[in-house]
């Protein structure tokens, strides 16, 4: 696979990743509640790995072309974000140097849901990944999509680990600001979930 195609995709992927969205809100929220943001970021990455596998297998195009499947995915994804945002709003994080017991796996699974159940993310992958593949390349299309997906996941991992650690470092010992940022994160997730739902029903 041509290095130039991977680098071109990386440039586009980086611009998409640094734009605030559900992943940002989730990572910031996770950075405020535990000692490590690794479970949260790992969950996001695994969610994108699942989306990459779906697209590489050709299922993504089928989902994108099925009105009923896309409707179901949009409803589930939007409702999931609203639920997570509401949970964050009702139980805002408090600054702490101690991890909350038993939250690692739950945070990991929530991360998978945030990235893996985002219908916009699936459609983005369906529309974006194939553009950087070459049918005449010696690598199969599925393998090329896999490389591009790994590039996206690696960039996500680095960016969100830095974001989560920065959030925790800057806000550590500042409970007032911690609660404010936590509520803003919850509001962002709720608003994005509502947007997904309204965007589907109004278009």
């Amino acid at each position: 696979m041509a290095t130039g195609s991977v680098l071109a995709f990386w440039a586009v992927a980086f611009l998409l990743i640094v734009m605030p969205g559900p992943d940002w809100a989730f990572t910031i929220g996770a950075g405020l509640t535990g000692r490590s943001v690794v479970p949260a970021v790992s969950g996001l990455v695994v969610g994108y790995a699942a989306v990459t596998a779906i697209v590489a297998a050709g299922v993504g195009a089928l989902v994108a072309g099925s009105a009923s499947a896309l409707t179901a995915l949009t409803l589930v994804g939007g409702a999931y974000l609203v639920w997570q945002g509401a949970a964050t709003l009702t139980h805002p994080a408090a600054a702490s140097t101690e991890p909350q017991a038993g939250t690692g796996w739950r945070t990991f699974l929530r991360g998978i849901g945030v990235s893996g159940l985002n219908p916009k993310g699936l459609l983005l992958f369906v529309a974006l990944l194939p553009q950087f593949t070459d049918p005449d390349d010696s690598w199969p299309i599925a393998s090329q999509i896999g490389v591009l997906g790994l590039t996206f996941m690696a960039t996500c991992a680095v960016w969100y680990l830095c974001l989560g650690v920065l959030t925790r470092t800057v806000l550590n010992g500042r409970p007032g600001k911690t609660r404010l940022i936590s509520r803003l994160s919850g509001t962002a997730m709720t608003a994005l979930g509502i947007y997904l739902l309204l965007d589907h029903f109004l278009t």
Side-chain angles (χ1 to χ4, degrees):
M1 185 174 183
T3 304
S5 297
V6 178
L7 291 176
F9 172 77
W10 177 84
V12 174
F14 180 75
L15 292 176
L16 294 173
I17 291 168
V18 300
M19 293 176 59
D23 297 349
W24 271 66
F26 175 70
T27 303
I28 289 173
L32 299 174
T33 58
R35 185 183 299 278
S36 174
V37 295
V38 171
V41 176
S42 298
L44 291 174
V45 171
V46 170
Y48 283 121
V51 174
T52 299
I54 288 171
V55 174
V59 178
L62 295 177
V63 172
S66 170
S68 58
L70 191 56
T71 295
L73 184 61
T74 299
L75 293 177
V76 171
Y80 184 81
L81 287 176
V82 171
W83 176 58
Q84 290 297 333
T88 303
L89 282 171
T90 54
H91 298 92
S96 172
T97 58
E98 296 298 325
Q100 294 183 1
T103 61
W105 277 109
R106 287 200 297 272
T107 301
F108 173 75
L109 294 174
R110 287 176 61 197
I112 294 175
V114 169
S115 59
L117 292 177
N118 187 347
K120 298 291 185 181
L122 176 61
L123 290 177
L124 174 67
F125 270 46
V126 169
L128 187 63
L129 292 180
Q131 294 184 36
F132 293 89
T133 61
D134 182 2
D136 298 323
D137 194 273
S138 59
W139 289 37
I141 294 295
S143 298
Q144 295 181 54
I145 288 176
V147 170
L148 297 175
L150 287 172
T151 301
F152 188 91
M153 286 180 273
T155 307
C156 273
V158 173
W159 177 263
Y160 290 124
L161 281 172
C162 291
L163 177 64
V165 170
L166 179 64
T167 299
R168 181 161 181 79
T169 302
V170 171
L171 296 176
N172 186 33
R174 300 175 181 174
K177 290 185 178 180
T178 297
R179 284 191 292 271
L180 173 62
I181 297 299
S182 182
R183 288 192 176 104
L184 289 175
S185 297
T187 300
M189 279 193 283
T190 302
L192 288 166
I194 292 174
Y195 168 77
L196 281 175
L197 297 174
L198 291 179
D199 183 56
H200 169 74
F201 286 114
L202 298 179
T203 57

